[in-house]
């Protein structure tokens, strides 16, 4: 195997690699052993630390938290997709008075920390009894919707110009072009990005902890409040989140292979200057090489 | 409006803390992230596997849960460097996964032909690295790294739940104290974040533009 970084290894290099491999395995094993020893020394393997997680009441509490978390994420993504469609298409409008407000809203919600947004929405709902959950979901919709609006815009822009030109040429109206020609194709390209955004939304539901919204992290707070087993509870939460997110990530990879042939959307950073320039360059590339050249980091995730 | 002007010193102090968090966890993220990226592109399978596992774990776990682990969990087993360090550690290790991915995609974005051509021209390995491969990789890496740092800026606000009086914490307090002027407070502090975010992307854009001219 040869890459940009090194040539195909000869016999000496192969021996060197093997030595480094053995040494680093030993180091990794030593670190693992140290961690286990440290856990053992701090009495983390005792029954009272882990027992709560096999008692039916606590398991039910965690299960309920898991359901609440998933429900919040699902609601947030549904809302965010709708928000994203409206504002993403709004950003592509030919009327400046639609385009500019949409641009402003999208950029604003992408740049503001989600935590701050959550507390702000929370303060707006001061009279509602279950305001924490509502505030969490609304904030997630606003933030993820703004990100998805960018994804929608990029997805529609990634289609070759010929598609809309041909549709106009056969006499379609503007909204027909969008709904019958552009959106169905763009959705395929966008699907992996949308699923990746689900991972982000699911991760961010953990912020419900800060306003005591029902969910996994709040359930965790209850558990260690009772048993004082902070580390064990946090590790259990981590495991639950990891399993969910890794499954979603697998789904995203599958969707990428199935629907968009490994093409990734490039979504710019917030407030990226030279936006116009880059879009122009992308357009030129798309005309010259077709949409495949629109590769990019796809690094929209936080 | 008056609320913002009256509390300006407090708000600015909050943003000072935000920048401090950003700087410390940013440095941790760069160091660990570079190391993990090196692991991920190394010819040794064990190291490559380690890098992959690290990225998979840290990219898919919520930052808040990581902070819970370092802030509440690790002191239980006798690892405690004070709360500021523990929080920045969680933020740094989390962001390192994204830094590693940006660096790796920057290196992988360079066609193999570039290295082959420079070697066939007679450049030594280190010459081809320093004059052909790395300058291009650096150029590829700047935009994604800028978005990673923008995300980190926003993520520093998670520290408000853990006793650090940064900007979001100030906004939360002001929202409590002056509920009638909440729109001003929200807008004003949001503007502060937008300025930081814009500064980062401006820096990235300037770097990119300069390199484009050099080319």
């Amino acid at each position: 195997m040869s890459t940009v970084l090194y040539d195909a290894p000869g016999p000496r290099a192969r021996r060197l690699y093997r030595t480094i491999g053995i040494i680093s395995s030993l180091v990794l094993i030593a670190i693992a052993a140290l961690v286990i020893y440290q856990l053992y020394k701090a009495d983390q393997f005792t029954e009272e630390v882990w027992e709560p997680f096999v008692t039916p009441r606590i398991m039910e509490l965690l299960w309920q938290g898991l359901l609440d978390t998933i429900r919040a994420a699902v609601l947030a993504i549904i809302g965010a997709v709708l928000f994203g469609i409206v504002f993403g298409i709004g950003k592509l409008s030919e009327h400046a008075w639609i385009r500019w407000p949409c641009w402003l809203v999208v950029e604003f919600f992408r740049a503001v920390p989600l935590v701050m947004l959550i507390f702000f929405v929370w303060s707006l709902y001061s009279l509602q009894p279950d305001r924490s959950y509502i505030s969490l979901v609304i904030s997630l919709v606003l933030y993820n919707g703004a990100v998805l609006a960018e994804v929608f815009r990029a997805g529609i822009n990634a289609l070759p110009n010929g598609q809309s030109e041909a549709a106009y040429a056969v006499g379609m109206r503007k909204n027909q072009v969008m709904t019958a020609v552009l959106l169905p194709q763009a959705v395929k390209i966008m699907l992996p990005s949308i699923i990746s955004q689900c991972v982000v939304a699911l991760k961010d539901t953990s912020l419900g902890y800060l306003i005591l919204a029902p969910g996994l992290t709040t359930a965790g707070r209850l558990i260690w409040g009772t048993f004082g087993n902070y580390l064990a509870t946090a590790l259990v939460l981590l495991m639950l989140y990891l399993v969910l997110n890794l499954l979603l990530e697998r789904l995203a990879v599958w969707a990428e292979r199935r629907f968009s042939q490994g093409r990734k959307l490039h979504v710019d950073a917030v407030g990226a200057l030279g936006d116009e320039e880059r879009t122009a360059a992308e357009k030129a590339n798309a005309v010259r090489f077709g949409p495949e050249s629109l590769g990019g980091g796809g690094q929209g995730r936080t | 409006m008056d609320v913002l002007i009256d509390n300006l010193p407090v708000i600015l102090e909050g943003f000072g803390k935000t920048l401090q968090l950003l700087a410390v966890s940013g440095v941790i993220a760069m160091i660990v992230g570079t190391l993990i990226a090196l692991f991920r592109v190394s010819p040794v399978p064990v190291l490559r596997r380690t890098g992959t596992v690290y990225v998979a774990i840290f990219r898919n776990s919520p930052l808040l849960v990581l902070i819970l682990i370092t802030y509440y969990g690790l002191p239980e087993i006798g690892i405690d460097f004070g709360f500021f360090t523990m929080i920045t550690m969680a933020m740094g290790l989390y962001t390192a996964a994204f830094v590693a991915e940006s660096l790796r995609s920057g290196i992988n974005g360079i066609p193999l032909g570039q290295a082959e051509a420079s070697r066939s021209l007679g450049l030594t390995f280190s010459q081809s690295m320093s004059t052909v491969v790395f300058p291009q990789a650096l150029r590829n890496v700047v935009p994604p790294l800028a978005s990673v740092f923008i995300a980190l800026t926003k993520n520093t606000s998670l520290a408000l739940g853990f006793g650090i009086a940064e900007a979001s914490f100030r906004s939360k307090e002001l929202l409590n104290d002056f509920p009638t002027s909440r729109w001003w407070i929200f807008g004003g502090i949001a503007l502060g974040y937008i300025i930081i975010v814009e500064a980062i992307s401006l820096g990235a854009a300037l770097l990119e533009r300069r390199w484009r001219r050099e080319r």
Side-chain angles (χ1 to χ4, degrees):
Chain A
M1 180 186 61
S2 167
T3 76
V4 198
L5 292 175
Y6 38 86
D7 299 325
R12 274 228 319 251
R14 226 172 285 151
R15 215 175 310 138
L16 178 68
Y17 292 164
R18 213 173 300 138
T19 323
I20 297 176
I22 291 169
I23 292 173
S24 43
S25 321
L26 288 177
V27 170
L28 286 175
I29 291 170
I31 292 174
L34 189 71
V35 168
I36 290 172
Y37 173 70
Q38 199 74 24
L39 287 172
Y40 175 75
K41 214 175 63 178
D43 290 332
Q44 285 293 324
F45 290 118
T46 53
E47 211 183 306
E48 70 230 49
V49 172
W50 293 98
E51 202 218 334
F53 302 109
V54 289
T55 52
R57 249 198 52 222
I58 299 299
M59 278 167 79
E60 207 170 294
L61 189 69
L62 276 174
W63 175 243
Q64 192 54 46
L66 188 68
L67 288 184
D68 282 333
T69 291
I70 292 175
R71 196 159 54 106
V74 169
L75 287 175
I77 280 297
I78 293 173
V81 167
L82 294 177
F83 186 101
I85 289 178
V86 170
F87 283 86
I89 293 175
K91 277 186 78 171
L92 289 170
S93 165
E94 0 183 290
H95 307 293
W97 58 272
I98 299 179
R99 205 168 54 230
W100 279 97
C102 288
W103 175 85
L104 196 69
V105 167
V106 168
E107 289 296 295
F108 181 79
F109 285 115
R110 283 210 305 160
V112 170
L114 186 56
V115 176
M116 221 181 104
L117 194 58
I118 288 176
F119 274 104
F120 177 65
V121 177
W122 193 59
S123 83
L124 286 179
Y125 272 90
S126 50
L127 295 174
Q128 296 269 348
D130 54 349
R131 59 168 168 164
S132 303
Y133 201 70
I134 300 177
S135 319
L136 178 67
V137 172
I138 291 178
S139 313
L140 286 174
V141 167
L142 291 175
Y143 171 67
N144 291 300
V147 177
L148 284 184
E150 270 306 283
V151 169
F152 275 85
R153 191 190 60 87
I156 289 171
N157 270 344
L159 296 174
N161 282 346
Q163 293 289 333
S164 57
E165 280 163 11
Y168 281 121
V170 296
M172 284 183 162
R173 296 231 304 274
K174 226 190 300 178
N175 58 345
Q176 285 175 315
V177 173
M178 191 53 86
T179 52
V181 178
L182 296 182
L183 269 184
Q185 297 184 65
V187 162
K188 275 190 181 177
I189 312 178
M190 289 179 302
L191 209 57
S193 303
I194 295 176
I195 298 175
S196 306
Q197 199 58 34
C198 292
V199 177
V200 178
L202 192 64
K203 273 162 46 173
D204 285 342
T205 54
S206 65
L207 297 177
Y209 174 88
L210 298 170
I211 52 170
L212 294 178
L216 268 177
T217 39
T218 309
R221 184 189 274 228
L222 286 176
I223 295 173
W224 75 49
T226 317
F227 298 97
N229 51 352
Y230 295 95
L231 186 60
T233 311
L235 287 177
V236 169
L237 294 184
L238 185 68
M239 277 302 144
L240 289 171
Y241 270 111
L242 270 182
V243 169
L244 287 179
N245 283 333
L246 288 172
L247 285 177
L248 270 178
E249 201 180 54
R250 191 59 60 80
L251 188 68
V253 170
W254 173 83
E256 200 174 306
R257 214 169 287 150
R258 173 82 175 70
F259 292 113
S260 61
Q261 284 89 41
R263 251 181 294 167
K264 269 190 180 156
L265 284 180
H266 177 82
V267 176
D268 279 317
V270 192
L273 283 185
D275 210 18
E276 295 285 307
E277 256 173 75
R278 192 173 311 145
T279 341
E282 269 175 20
K283 273 262 151 75
N285 272 339
V287 170
R288 226 177 304 145
F289 309 112
E292 283 76 16
S293 62
L294 281 168
Q299 251 294 340
R301 309 182 40 190
T302 57
Chain B
M1 189 74 196
D2 293 339
V3 186
L4 288 176
I5 295 168
D6 292 345
N7 292 292
L8 197 61
V10 181
I11 295 173
L12 286 181
E13 207 180 304
F15 274 110
K17 265 277 186 272
T18 296
L19 290 176
Q20 202 181 331
L21 284 168
L22 176 63
V24 176
S25 44
V27 168
I28 298 175
M30 281 309 284
I31 294 172
V32 179
T34 311
L35 194 69
I36 297 297
L38 288 178
F39 278 12
R40 285 208 75 177
V41 296
S42 90
V44 183
V46 182
L47 292 180
R48 244 190 346 249
R49 193 80 40 81
T50 313
T52 313
V53 170
Y54 182 96
V55 170
I57 289 179
F58 280 85
R59 228 167 57 152
N60 286 301
S61 45
L63 175 56
L64 186 95
V65 176
L66 292 178
I67 296 180
L68 290 177
I69 290 178
T70 59
Y71 186 83
Y72 288 122
L74 291 187
E76 266 191 358
I77 59 169
I79 301 172
D80 194 356
F81 308 115
F83 66 112
F84 186 84
T85 316
M86 297 315 266
I87 291 172
T88 46
M89 200 167 85
M91 285 176 183
L93 293 181
Y94 173 81
T95 311
F98 295 92
V99 170
E101 277 305 272
S102 315
L103 296 180
R104 191 183 68 109
S105 71
I107 292 169
N108 281 350
I110 298 163
L112 184 54
Q114 294 284 328
E116 284 170 352
S118 55
R119 296 304 295 282
S120 65
L121 280 175
L123 297 182
T124 65
F125 183 72
S126 53
Q127 275 173 333
S128 82
M129 274 295 141
S130 61
T131 59
V132 178
V133 175
F134 275 130
Q136 296 188 62
L138 210 58
R139 226 170 273 164
N140 284 350
V141 149
V142 167
L145 267 192
S147 14
V148 169
F149 275 91
I150 287 170
L152 177 61
T153 311
K154 295 188 284 171
N155 283 336
T156 56
S157 60
L158 260 69
L160 102 169
F162 304 91
I164 290 187
E166 42 73 73
S168 295
F169 181 85
R170 300 298 189 190
S171 89
K172 179 190 158 197
E173 276 196 333
L174 291 175
L175 283 175
N176 256 340
D177 296 345
F178 308 97
T180 45
S181 39
R182 53 168 80 92
W183 290 93
W184 280 109
I185 297 167
F186 179 64
I189 296 188
L191 190 67
Y193 276 105
I194 291 173
I195 291 172
I196 300 180
V197 164
E198 285 294 336
I200 295 175
S201 75
L202 179 68
L206 286 179
L207 271 182
E208 238 186 317
R209 192 164 301 171
R210 217 178 88 195
W211 281 332
R212 197 181 301 151
R213 204 171 301 141
E214 270 174 17
R215 201 146 27 159

